[in-house]
Amino acid sequence: MDIGIGLPNTVPGTEGSVLVEWARRAEETGFSTLGTIGRLVYPGYEELVALSAAAAVTSRIRLTTSVLLGPLYTNPALLAKQAASVDRLSGGRFVLGVGLGGRDDDFAASGLSTEGRGRRLEEQLTEMKRVWSGEERGFAGAIGPAPVREGGPELLLGGSTPAGFRRVARLADGWIMGGGTPEMFAEASAGVDAAWKEAGRAGTPRKLSLAYFALGPDARAHADGYLKHYYGFLGDAAAQIAASAAVSAEMVRSYVDSFAAAGCDELIFVPTASGLEQVELLAEATG
């Protein structure tokens, strides 16, 4: 199983210089992926912008939106161009993970309704694939740049419902779980595999998950402070999410072993603090 690390793009107070140095160190220490979290109404950096900065200072590590909230990007042709641009700038290292989003304030701030977002996402992805295929749109031809990989960047979809699994099988290359236990991952993973097989897809989908972490002497304080704020809209459930964060090397290794046993292809540890020492501490815990 590959081990990735998130950029602290949603950790409040994180300076741009820290994001750039974090990306450098993540590549140097051997992580497979830099991931980003998507949210609009929060003091964080937009994902494609953050990964463009990371692309400029790295050369090997994958760059994954884990996940970008697709329905908030209402111009699919423009999003396709943005995604292809990051893909080209990074030499084909970009992975577009997309989810529906579940926070009403993000949609309200965008002047959008949450109703019908699944249908809108499918229409959006279909249009983006047409753009990536090089379909001509005007006098100058296609919307470029052309992605490095024929057909577009690797596409992952979130969601943990049967409809979401079928969407993965129809439109994507893989699936990503936004958080939860290894047992939840194994159960949902079986649903993804069944939908994939039913759709007649060859091979198997790549399957990923996220897990929050903080390490060092103030690990529990960092995890509680960030996650209880970030998930405050969920009420008491925010404390449960905070409690699940890996706050010791032993917890990190337990998550690695358990998710690998559940069939996870890549586990991305999402930071709850932006101190640069977190990169080295996680590398030591997973090494």
Side-chain angles (χ1 to χ4, degrees):
M1 182 179 70
D2 290 335
I3 306 295
I5 186 171
L7 276 173
N9 70 298
T10 57
V11 176
T14 301
E15 295 294 336
S17 59
V18 171
L19 284 183
V20 170
E21 183 59 25
W22 185 290
R24 286 196 186 99
R25 295 191 186 190
E27 178 161 275
E28 290 170 358
T29 49
F31 288 106
S32 60
T33 291
L34 278 167
T36 54
I37 299 295
R39 187 166 176 182
L40 181 60
V41 185
Y42 205 73
Y45 296 89
E46 195 276 335
E47 294 181 273
L48 296 175
V49 173
L51 289 180
S52 293
V57 296
T58 58
S59 61
R60 176 199 57 81
I61 196 167
R62 283 193 292 265
L63 309 170
T64 303
T65 56
S66 53
V67 292
L68 178 144
L69 306 181
L72 302 186
Y73 293 74
T74 55
N75 183 335
L78 179 56
L79 178 57
K81 186 180 185 73
Q82 291 172 315
S85 296
V86 178
D87 189 54
R88 272 284 166 191
L89 288 169
S90 66
R93 292 180 286 133
F94 181 58
V95 179
L96 180 61
V98 182
L100 290 176
R103 299 176 177 88
D104 290 342
D105 54 0
D106 287 342
F107 283 81
S110 302
L112 300 171
S113 169
T114 58
E115 294 183 7
R117 57 196 166 140
R119 172 186 52 78
R120 296 201 308 270
L121 178 63
E122 294 195 18
E123 293 172 350
Q124 175 186 46
L125 295 175
T126 299
E127 173 69 2
M128 290 170 65
K129 285 174 176 287
R130 291 172 60 188
V131 170
W132 291 333
S133 73
E135 184 177 283
E136 292 190 5
R137 296 302 178 95
F139 179 79
I143 296 171
V148 173
R149 192 182 77 159
E150 184 177 355
E154 180 182 358
L155 180 61
L156 308 174
L157 296 182
S160 55
T161 65
F165 301 155
R166 290 191 295 270
R167 189 176 296 121
V168 170
R170 288 196 306 274
L171 297 168
D173 302 298
W175 168 74
I176 183 167
M177 186 173 79
T181 66
E183 293 76 19
M184 292 167 63
F185 179 89
E187 182 178 355
S189 176
V192 174
D193 286 339
W196 192 269
K197 183 176 180 180
E198 184 178 344
R201 296 285 298 272
T204 57
R206 195 161 76 93
K207 290 170 285 188
L208 295 77
S209 186
L210 307 181
Y212 286 110
F213 86 96
L215 295 170
D218 299 318
R220 174 46 63 193
H222 285 312
D224 286 350
Y226 171 70
L227 292 170
K228 288 181 180 180
H229 182 249
Y230 188 85
Y231 288 102
F233 69 99
L234 292 177
D236 292 341
Q240 296 177 334
I241 295 171
S244 71
V247 293
S248 68
E250 292 74 20
M251 288 184 72
V252 168
R253 287 193 289 270
S254 175
Y255 276 5
V256 169
D257 292 343
S258 298
F259 274 98
C264 186
D265 294 307
E266 185 170 55
L267 180 62
I268 302 175
F269 281 96
V270 179
T272 59
S274 56
L276 290 168
E277 75 281 354
Q278 294 295 314
V279 180
E280 282 76 17
L281 289 171
L282 184 63
E284 292 172 6
T286 59

